[in-house]
Amino acid sequence: MAEKNFTSVTEFLLIAFADCPEWALPLFLLFLSIYLITLLGNTGMIILIWVDHRLHTPMYFLLSHLSFMDICYSSVTVPQMMAVLLEHGTVLSYTRCVAQFFLFTFFGSIDCYLLALMAYDRYVAVCQPLLYVTIMTQKARLGFMAVVYIAGLFSALVRTVSAFTLSFCGTNEINFIFCDLPPLLKLTCGDSYTQEVVIIVFAIFVIPACMVVILVSYLFIILAIMQISSPGGRAKTFSTCASHLTTVSLFFGTLIFMYLRDNSGRSPQEDQVVAVFYTTMIPMLNPLIYSLRNKEVKEALRKILNRTKLS
């Protein structure tokens, strides 16, 4: 029976924000504005890092990949949100839902691993400054990025296979803005214990594992900063990590709230608000955080603007 229910599902109906149809157009325009700012900000950050030789350092190399991931991450979900709002519900084929879920997980996992790698980069820069150039070589950076992308691919495959070997029955309506795990689990029936355990264990491994790397790195960074005698030196050293800490707090805070909390008593509206934040707001905020709080980025941007005015 479970197999019959599973194979009979050929499409899903996204019906997010159906209770507030009057908000459809304002939310559509809001998401469109956020998406355009996200594309502009992250593309601008990549171009800025590419054209300014002062930004050809390991930290900005990793930041350029983070910006690229934010573009991809946002592009997988935000256009879908806008379609749901504009059409007051959107039908997705089973294959398209699987593809969206896989890509969303792939880019989201890479974001997690990248933020952990960026924390390690800051640890080496602050705690091992004399060895920084020899540790974070171009070859090492490329090797790190290869591991990050392979780990992201593995994470997405495990999570997607586990999610879509579940049996779906009853309604195929997803009260959500895209094909994500929490709303899909609500449509399951039959014996799904093994798959759910794999999904939960994997989520518990990926998110906390990245957080452990980040926390341990910043523990050593804080200890190193405390040993600096000059208050100005401490402030300058910590300022190099402030942007990354802000991004980490926003990204992992919302992921923990979404995926590692108790499912009981959760409303679809609450999940949708959280999902909107980490799929639209965070990719938009990241380039702003790194440009507003980073002296080198601001100087590079000022140089480009001055050159444009003179030409």
Side-chain angles (χ1 to χ4, degrees):
M1 185 65 183
E3 180 66 23
K4 181 180 178 181
N5 288 331
F6 172 72
T7 55
S8 64
V9 175
T10 59
E11 61 185 22
F12 295 96
L13 176 62
L14 301 180
I15 55 169
F17 306 110
D19 297 335
C20 305
E22 67 276 7
W23 284 96
L25 183 58
L27 286 175
F28 172 83
L29 296 175
L30 175 64
F31 288 160
L32 177 61
S33 301
I34 291 173
Y35 184 55
L36 293 176
I37 294 171
T38 299
L39 295 180
L40 180 63
N42 285 287
T43 303
M45 182 66 72
I46 294 171
I47 294 173
L48 191 65
I49 293 171
W50 182 61
V51 299
D52 196 301
H53 292 286
R54 292 176 299 176
L55 302 182
H56 291 181
T57 63
M59 182 178 75
Y60 293 107
F61 170 81
L62 298 176
L63 179 57
S64 66
H65 280 271
L66 182 66
S67 294
F68 177 66
M69 284 300 106
D70 281 342
I71 292 173
C72 298
Y73 182 71
S74 183
S75 297
V76 170
T77 56
V78 179
Q80 183 67 70
M81 296 181 196
M82 294 190 292
V84 172
L85 290 167
L86 199 61
E87 300 171 14
H88 303 288
T90 301
V91 176
L92 286 184
S93 67
Y94 188 88
T95 303
R96 187 177 170 188
C97 185
V98 173
Q100 186 181 57
F101 184 89
F102 171 82
L103 291 173
F104 171 74
T105 305
F106 177 61
F107 297 129
S109 299
I110 291 177
D111 259 8
C112 290
Y113 298 133
L114 263 176
L115 290 172
L117 181 56
M118 291 172 76
Y120 172 74
D121 171 77
R122 292 298 83 207
Y123 156 75
V124 177
V126 174
C127 301
Q128 305 287 338
L130 299 179
L131 300 177
Y132 183 70
V133 177
T134 58
I135 293 176
M136 298 299 292
T137 62
Q138 183 178 8
K139 183 177 180 181
R141 298 199 300 266
L142 294 176
F144 283 139
M145 289 309 306
V147 172
V148 164
Y149 279 89
I150 291 171
L153 178 61
F154 179 71
S155 301
L157 284 173
V158 170
R159 201 162 179 258
T160 303
V161 170
S162 299
F164 287 92
T165 51
L166 294 168
S167 298
F168 300 102
C169 62
T171 178
N172 65 342
E173 292 183 353
I174 299 178
N175 189 8
F176 207 63
I177 44 184
F178 61 95
C179 285
D180 199 11
L181 185 60
L184 284 172
L185 289 178
K186 294 178 181 179
L187 305 182
T188 60
C189 61
D191 184 12
S192 61
Y193 177 77
T194 302
Q195 292 96 327
E196 290 190 31
V197 167
V198 172
I199 292 168
I200 293 170
V201 168
F202 205 76
I204 290 174
F205 172 76
V206 171
I207 297 176
C210 292
M211 290 186 64
V212 166
V213 173
I214 293 169
L215 291 174
V216 171
S217 298
Y218 275 101
L219 175 62
F220 283 106
I221 288 172
I222 291 171
L223 292 175
I225 290 175
M226 295 301 294
Q227 295 177 2
I228 300 175
S229 57
S230 168
R234 286 198 296 266
K236 182 178 179 180
T237 303
F238 185 76
S239 67
T240 64
C241 308
S243 300
H244 180 255
L245 268 177
T246 305
T247 300
V248 165
S249 301
L250 290 173
F251 186 75
F252 282 98
T254 52
L255 285 185
I256 290 170
F257 188 79
M258 188 69 178
Y259 296 110
L260 297 183
R261 63 192 174 106
D262 187 13
N263 288 331
S264 60
R266 290 169 56 167
S267 67
Q269 292 76 18
E270 184 179 333
D271 285 346
Q272 286 172 27
V273 171
V274 178
V276 165
F277 185 77
Y278 72 76
T279 56
T280 62
M281 296 303 295
I282 292 178
M284 180 191 71
L285 291 174
N286 280 347
L288 296 176
I289 292 170
Y290 277 95
S291 61
L292 294 175
R293 297 185 63 90
N294 194 297
K295 183 179 178 181
E296 292 174 319
V297 172
K298 287 190 288 187
E299 288 180 353
L301 181 60
R302 191 179 298 113
K303 181 181 177 182
I304 294 293
L305 292 176
N306 290 336
R307 187 184 302 170
T308 303
K309 289 179 181 179
L310 291 174
S311 62

